[in-house]
Amino acid sequence: MDSCVIPLRHGGLSLVQTTDFFYPLVEDPYMMGRIACANVLSDLYSMGITECDNMLMLLSVSQKMSEEERDKIMPLIIKGFRDAAEDGGTSVTGGQTVLNPWIIVGGVATVVCQPNEFIMPDSAVPGDVLVLTKPLGTQVAVNAHQWLDNPERWNKIKLVVSREDVELAYQEAMFSMAMLNRTAASLMHTFNAHAATDITGFGILGHAQNLAKQQRSEVSFVIHNLPIIAKMAAISKACGNRSKLLQGTSPETSGGLLICLPREQAARFCAEIKSPKYGEGHQAWIIGIVEKGNQTARIIDKPRIIEVTPRGASASPQDNNSSASPETAS
């Protein structure tokens, strides 16, 4: 599971807690702090938990940084983390800071819950539909942005993507990673979700496989559609698929929730999450199905690639189709 659930001695309550940390991957220290906080909270959100009682921040300061760099960069990371926590309705009350060869950012999220406040990720049944709430390709976008200043790497991808495409994809990846999955967590209850996980370091396929193994019923997950930040699939192909993006194992950071929903609820979930009342930027796509099986997950041989247009770019009519039927791609 993404979080540990510890039954308490009193009143039928449970302590739900998670910790996570990673290295910086974007240039903006403030956004890095927000992304780190969103990444920690996603472990709670994947269980349908929308409230967090307390957060701690874990911060490693690089020994290679000058005093001036530390004084400018670290407060911005801390502010980003605190602001994201506040957006999530919680606060950072402490943590730990150490010196280290590398910068590391992360935290701990803790909540005490009643049983109806969380959804154990183990109740998917044949006939359910798989929904994803953020596009894939964040790591490819970050890498491509770094390659803008590396002629050898840029020469490999410049025939399939422009500098503007890369800048837009990088901005989209950064804002996507910084967005909280709190709205999706709330809607999991509204639309009777059966199980969920968040997509991070193991990629969409790795996390789908882990979730499938947790199910009590004999089921398997089949993924037909891959929503990917526009042009990132082309970059992956131009690099010989070394990122494994189309194979589903490219790492993501602070990715979306992969949710098992009853078939009759999935399209309504995708429509509801885009409502203006939840703010801008929320998306969701139907990407696959749950069928009878042996606790495995797979991506079909030729999945449909849904090109997700970055905000700030003009969308074509077929882009960002949240209600794509998984059967059409098989």
Side-chain angles (χ1 to χ4, degrees):
M1 292 193 301
D2 295 302
S3 301
C4 64
V5 179
I6 305 167
L8 299 179
R9 297 188 301 273
H10 311 292
L13 300 173
S14 294
L15 176 75
V16 184
Q17 190 172 61
T18 183
T19 185
D20 211 336
F21 59 87
F22 53 84
Y23 305 107
L25 72 165
V26 299
E27 297 172 349
D28 185 326
Y30 176 79
M31 291 301 293
M32 190 62 244
R34 293 195 70 102
I35 291 167
C37 183
N39 190 60
V40 175
L41 286 171
S42 275
D43 288 339
L44 298 185
Y45 297 149
S46 69
M47 298 187 69
I49 296 170
T50 59
E51 304 299 329
C52 176
D53 291 332
N54 179 66
M55 292 196 76
L56 303 176
M57 186 175 185
L58 305 175
L59 187 61
S60 167
V61 182
S62 173
Q63 297 165 326
K64 299 176 182 178
M65 298 172 73
S66 67
E67 185 174 349
E68 181 181 9
E69 288 172 331
R70 286 199 302 267
D71 289 346
K72 287 183 177 179
I73 294 171
M74 305 320 288
L76 289 171
I77 294 177
I78 294 169
K79 178 172 172 51
F81 194 98
R82 287 185 178 275
D83 285 356
E86 185 176 332
D87 288 348
T90 187
S91 59
V92 182
T93 61
Q96 180 74 24
T97 304
V98 298
L99 281 173
N100 196 58
W102 312 278
I103 298 175
I104 299 174
V105 191
V108 180
T110 305
V111 62
V112 175
C113 288
Q114 295 180 346
N116 65 343
E117 293 181 285
F118 61 90
I119 299 170
M120 293 297 289
D122 60 3
S123 299
V125 295
D128 280 354
V129 170
L130 302 175
V131 168
L132 182 66
T133 66
K134 287 185 184 180
L136 305 171
T138 55
Q139 187 64 54
V140 175
V142 168
N143 289 347
H145 189 257
Q146 294 171 345
W147 296 345
L148 290 175
D149 298 321
N150 184 327
E152 182 181 352
R153 295 293 185 114
W154 175 246
N155 286 339
K156 291 183 178 181
I157 64 173
K158 67 181 182 181
L159 295 180
V160 299
V161 69
S162 68
R163 287 182 173 270
E164 182 185 11
D165 290 333
V166 171
E167 290 287 357
L168 285 169
Y170 174 74
Q171 292 296 321
E172 176 63 29
M174 186 163 59
F175 284 112
S176 177
M177 291 186 289
M179 179 174 287
L180 301 181
N181 282 317
R182 194 182 188 192
T183 297
S186 176
L187 294 179
M188 284 172 60
H189 294 271
T190 305
F191 294 99
N192 193 30
H194 291 156
T197 188
D198 64 323
I199 306 304
T200 52
F202 296 121
I204 182 70
L205 182 59
H207 286 285
Q209 290 171 336
N210 289 339
L211 185 62
K213 291 174 184 176
Q214 298 293 323
Q215 302 313 302
R216 291 178 293 169
S217 299
E218 294 182 349
V219 296
S220 287
F221 299 164
V222 183
I223 297 172
H224 300 81
N225 304 319
L226 295 175
I228 297 174
I229 298 172
K231 306 288 185 161
M232 297 306 100
I235 289 177
S236 182
K237 290 177 182 177
C239 296
N241 289 320
R242 284 171 48 191
S243 69
K244 303 296 183 183
L245 177 62
L246 304 183
Q247 289 74 39
T249 55
S250 177
E252 306 289 337
T253 298
S254 188
L257 300 188
L258 176 65
I259 307 171
C260 302
L261 287 164
R263 177 178 293 273
E264 65 274 13
Q265 301 278 34
R268 292 171 57 204
F269 177 100
C270 293
E272 178 66 17
I273 200 170
K274 293 191 292 183
S275 170
K277 65 186 176 186
Y278 301 119
E280 294 183 358
H282 294 288
Q283 302 179 84
W285 301 266
I286 294 173
I287 67 164
I289 58 173
V290 178
E291 62 182 22
K292 187 173 177 59
N294 56 348
Q295 275 77 29
T296 59
R298 65 182 178 90
I299 299 174
I300 64 171
D301 289 339
K302 294 181 179 179
R304 177 190 176 200
I305 305 303
I306 301 173
E307 294 270 326
V308 179
T309 305
R311 59 204 92 187
S314 58
S316 61
Q318 69 270 27
D319 288 342
N320 304 346
N321 184 1
S322 63
S323 58
S325 170
E327 288 83 355
T328 61
S330 57

